Amino acid sequence: MRLILDLARGMLSRRRRQTLVSVLGVALGVAFFIAIASLMRGFQTYFVQQVIDVQPHIVIKDETRRPLPQAAEIATPGGAVAINGVKPRDRVRGIRSAGDKLAVLEAIPGASAAAILTGAALLRYGSRDVTITVTGIEPARYRRVANLEKDMVQGSLNDLRSAANGLIIGAALAVRLGVQMGDTVIAVSPRGVSLQMKIVGIFHTGLVALDQSAGYALLKVNQVLQDRPNVVNQILLRLADVTQAEPLARRIEGRFGDRTESWEEQNRNILTVFVIQNAIMYSVTGAILLVAAFGIYNIISTVVFEKTRDIAILKSLGFTEGDIQLLFLVQGMIAGLLGAVLGCVIGQLMIEGLGQVRFQTETPAGNDRFLMAQDWRIFAVASFFAVASAALAAVIPARRAARLDPVQVVRGAA
Amino acid sequence: MTAPLLAAEGVTKRLAEGVTLVSDISLTVTRGEFVAITGPSGSGKSSLLYLLGLLDRPSAGRVLLEGADTALLPAQDLAALRLARLGFVFQFHFLLPEFSALDNVLIPIRRRGVLKPEAARARAMSLLDALSLADAAAKLPEQLSGGMRQRVAVARALANDPALLLADEPTGNLDTKNAAAVFDIFARLAAEEGRTVLVVTHDADLARRATRRIHLVDGRIVSDERSAPA
């Protein structure tokens, strides 16, 4: 094996410049892959982090995945009688026996739970009306499942208790309404209940949708506003280990029957975008590596063509077809390996360079730079594909070399 | 009675185009013989050598090396036989240009892998030394003269201590003096080391130095004479 390596090195050294070019081709493919992959991975990790940070990990809703069967359907299952125009039973919406469920959920290790009631309301201040979603919370519990406290610019969650009907709204909403801390607005719910509410806090999350149309009040207050006494319509869960969200959500849904969504399910559209993004990335860098592979194919073919005499003599000396094939495969892999190593270095430099870029944005999350992931696995994958594609590119010329008939060559040279 | 080193039985080689290169040749070669195969161009002498050297397979007939039939052996086994029992020298030296004389001689030894690295180097050095090439060991082929290159090629052919040395017009590219030197080496290998040497040449003067001369015309043996070494 050492001999094969020595021979391969000797043959490649004769074509130093051409070898360098094909090595550089592989290196660029590897480097671009590494840079783009860590760029995307960094962004995706950041994004997921944001999502996990802002949202509860699991949401239990007051609905079921399939509509509950109607009494008429139960009475005549699949029968000959079809009843048209059945009106659903008018039942009080909300999560049933939420208190018991909360107790069960709190017992799960690493999980915190909070029950909330959300509902729409029209905020009126002077001549301005804005429709918002009011979330009724219990500050002590809610604090454990969401990071609202962190985003408060003025006031705090506890201030909800300081006023009779306290309301916390987003900064953008405050601007739209033209209200300030301590002002009193009128909130009207779809049920027609009207409450005077005092602004006791202003938050700023950076998510426009939230900042413009969300408000938080005490659970009791919102139950009054929505005219749904003692009802909660969501239970939020936060977990110590976010990766457990999906399986836990399935278990909870299986047990309670309420529709339960993990953060993954709620953000499926974005996560799907990531999959597409990755596919694009892989195909672009795959194309670069493909071009690089042609370079390797080219150099190995040239070497085989130039070295027909050497191949013939090696065969006459007693080298088998397998030896010869291996000899040229190894040459391809050497080129691939050199390219991979060089590519990793260039890739790292590109990561460092991209990490220096700053841009001017208004993103309130304070994200003014590329977020680069530093993951050895990206380097490993890139290197593996470089060496593999190089070996693959060398297969065809290597087989041609192996099949060479030494008699033909020797006769031709004589 | 031990089997002869090399035996051909009705060996024939035809090309796909219907041309017959070698036609129904039978001969035996014993140990220590120095055989010259002569004949005009196109008489099939090189083709016969390749067949006897297991580099090519006959269309009909069979070649026996040390009593063993090689006709049915797979390519891998033929390669192993070439590596261990045979040595080739061609008209062109065919040294690998990127490797020194010593490394070129080492290639078959390392491929065989029987000797340890130090022993292999010692053997290669002693082969070069025996051919007065000790000073050339570290040099690349392009730094050597034509005669020296061909001697390095002979050293490489002898690397694995072969029983049979086959040479195809080994002096074709050499001047008279160097050609004579190479034939001297062959004569010595046969006489002193008991190796069998098979040389294809069109030079009648050189052929006379062999102990046996086989003359080919149109792929057939027309004469086969033995003599004491000149």
Side-chain angles (χ1 to χ4, degrees):
Chain A
M1 195 58 218
R2 273 293 309 276
L3 174 61
I4 297 280
L5 273 179
D6 285 351
L7 290 172
R9 230 181 22 225
M11 288 188 174
L12 276 182
S13 70
R14 262 297 162 108
R15 286 246 144 226
R16 198 158 291 173
R17 224 177 55 183
Q18 215 176 344
T19 309
L20 198 72
V21 170
S22 37
V23 164
L24 223 60
V26 177
L28 282 183
V30 169
F32 274 115
F33 176 84
I34 289 173
I36 295 175
S38 65
L39 196 66
M40 296 241 181
R41 184 78 65 83
F43 169 70
Q44 291 171 3
T45 317
Y46 168 78
F47 199 92
V48 168
Q49 209 92 58
Q50 287 291 95
V51 164
I52 292 171
D53 239 31
V54 173
Q55 297 183 342
H57 299 159
I58 295 177
V59 178
I60 303 171
K61 296 185 170 174
D62 62 339
E63 44 190 275
T64 48
R65 223 163 257 278
R66 295 165 187 287
L68 289 173
Q70 297 292 326
E73 290 171 28
I74 295 171
T76 59
V81 187
I83 306 171
N84 290 325
V86 177
K87 261 173 88 175
R89 188 158 63 100
D90 193 14
R91 55 187 278 268
V92 180
R93 285 200 63 185
I95 296 176
R96 301 192 171 192
S97 51
D100 298 344
K101 288 175 180 172
L102 260 183
V104 171
L105 294 171
E106 283 284 359
I108 297 170
S112 319
I116 59 169
L117 174 67
T118 62
L122 186 73
L123 284 196
R124 181 169 294 160
Y125 185 66
S127 59
R128 295 175 207 185
D129 297 337
V130 178
T131 311
I132 67 164
T133 304
V134 177
T135 305
I137 62 172
E138 293 169 277
R141 278 186 173 278
Y142 192 71
R143 197 172 284 133
R144 291 187 299 159
V145 300
N147 283 330
L148 184 59
E149 190 91 74
K150 196 186 72 187
D151 297 321
M152 295 299 296
V153 212
Q154 284 177 292
S156 75
L157 290 188
N158 283 337
D159 292 342
L160 285 174
R161 296 193 183 284
S162 66
N165 291 325
L167 182 67
I168 295 173
I169 58 171
L173 178 60
V175 172
R176 265 174 85 185
L177 280 172
V179 297
Q180 287 174 343
M181 285 284 286
D183 289 345
T184 303
V185 296
I186 296 168
V188 184
S189 74
R191 294 288 189 110
V193 180
S194 169
L195 281 182
Q196 296 228 345
M197 301 188 86
K198 189 179 172 192
I199 307 298
V200 295
I202 290 176
F203 64 87
H204 178 91
T205 59
L207 298 172
V208 178
L210 219 54
D211 289 350
Q212 268 191 358
S213 57
Y216 294 88
L218 286 181
L219 182 57
K220 292 281 175 212
V221 172
N222 203 30
Q223 282 169 347
V224 171
L225 179 64
Q226 303 295 336
D227 191 20
R228 296 167 76 177
N230 295 321
V231 170
V232 300
N233 62 1
Q234 283 187 13
I235 296 176
L236 310 182
L237 249 82
R238 196 168 181 83
L239 307 176
D241 180 6
V242 289
T243 59
Q244 288 302 309
E246 180 61 29
L248 185 59
R250 295 284 70 80
R251 283 217 321 270
I252 293 170
E253 183 164 334
R255 177 157 175 193
F256 294 156
D258 302 306
R259 185 185 177 103
T260 307
E261 295 175 354
S262 67
W263 64 272
E264 285 148 300
E265 184 177 348
Q266 293 198 308
N267 295 284
R268 190 150 288 160
N269 49 345
I270 294 164
L271 296 177
T272 313
V273 170
F274 286 173
V275 172
I276 295 168
Q277 230 178 21
N278 286 342
I280 293 171
M281 172 183 75
Y282 279 114
S283 39
V284 167
T285 46
I288 300 176
L289 275 181
L290 189 72
V291 174
F294 272 107
I296 289 184
Y297 171 83
N298 189 32
I299 167 121
I300 304 299
S301 295
T302 312
V303 171
V304 167
F305 182 75
E306 272 188 352
K307 295 291 179 189
T308 42
R309 286 178 170 194
D310 293 359
I311 296 164
I313 191 68
L314 287 174
K315 286 188 99 172
S316 75
L317 285 176
F319 279 64
T320 61
E321 289 194 4
D323 292 334
I324 302 294
Q325 192 167 342
L326 189 64
L327 174 59
F328 288 95
L329 272 184
V330 164
Q331 290 184 35
M333 284 169 80
I334 289 176
L337 207 63
L338 287 178
V341 171
L342 192 62
C344 285
V345 174
I346 298 176
Q348 181 62 34
L349 291 177
M350 283 169 86
I351 289 177
E352 307 274 345
L354 285 171
Q356 299 297 318
V357 175
R358 297 282 180 277
F359 21 70
Q360 304 264 277
T361 55
E362 285 296 307
T363 35
N367 179 15
D368 64 341
R369 65 194 66 179
F370 287 124
L371 294 143
M372 313 298 292
Q374 287 278 14
D375 191 345
W376 64 269
R377 275 171 300 186
I378 295 175
F379 287 79
V381 166
S383 303
F384 172 78
F385 276 110
V387 175
S389 63
L392 217 62
V395 163
I396 298 169
R399 290 178 69 90
R400 205 167 54 221
R403 294 224 190 88
L404 205 85
D405 182 4
V407 172
Q408 301 280 346
V409 178
V410 171
R411 202 190 291 280
Chain B
M1 184 192 134
T2 56
L5 179 75
L6 184 68
E9 293 177 2
V11 167
T12 301
K13 179 71 182 178
R14 274 185 294 273
L15 293 185
E17 305 90 69
V19 182
T20 303
L21 296 173
V22 173
S23 162
D24 191 26
I25 284 184
S26 299
L27 58 83
T28 56
V29 179
T30 52
R31 282 180 183 74
E33 267 191 307
F34 180 9
V35 185
I37 303 174
T38 59
S41 303
S43 58
K45 51 192 192 304
S46 291
S47 302
L48 176 62
L49 191 80
Y50 301 149
L51 291 166
L52 297 178
L54 311 182
L55 215 49
D56 205 356
R57 287 180 191 272
S59 317
R62 54 185 196 154
V63 175
L64 294 94
L65 185 68
E66 294 173 318
D69 187 359
T70 60
L72 297 173
L73 290 180
Q76 274 190 347
D77 292 6
L78 291 185
L81 276 177
R82 287 201 297 273
L83 185 67
R85 306 302 293 152
L86 309 182
F88 279 97
V89 180
F90 300 98
Q91 178 176 0
F92 188 74
H93 59 78
F94 285 130
L95 297 176
L96 300 196
E98 300 89 2
F99 296 90
S100 71
L102 181 67
D103 285 336
N104 264 290
V105 177
L106 275 170
I107 289 171
I109 305 181
R110 292 176 64 185
R111 176 61 187 87
R112 198 170 173 207
V114 175
L115 296 180
K116 287 195 178 5
E118 314 87 64
R121 282 186 81 82
R123 163 142 187 92
M125 269 318 285
S126 77
L127 282 169
L128 288 173
D129 202 23
L131 298 173
S132 323
L133 287 164
D135 297 338
K139 289 187 177 158
L140 293 177
E142 63 192 23
Q143 296 167 313
L144 302 175
S145 71
M148 289 168 97
R149 284 180 208 161
Q150 197 57 301
R151 296 211 304 273
V152 175
V154 173
R156 181 179 59 186
L158 296 172
N160 283 327
D161 194 17
L164 177 62
L165 185 69
L166 303 114
D168 183 16
E169 303 270 15
T171 59
N173 287 333
L174 298 180
D175 56 35
T176 324
K177 187 164 148 263
N178 275 311
V182 168
F183 265 79
D184 281 342
I185 295 167
F186 288 158
R188 201 177 72 221
L189 289 172
E192 293 173 16
E193 297 181 17
R195 284 185 222 279
T196 308
V197 182
L198 235 65
V199 185
V200 164
T201 183
H202 61 264
D203 188 326
D205 288 338
L206 291 173
R208 233 166 270 135
R209 308 185 59 166
T211 57
R212 179 177 172 189
R213 279 168 298 284
I214 296 173
H215 193 68
L216 286 189
V217 174
D218 291 338
R220 290 175 196 281
I221 297 176
V222 291
S223 74
D224 184 351
E225 53 189 60
R226 284 160 222 262
S227 65

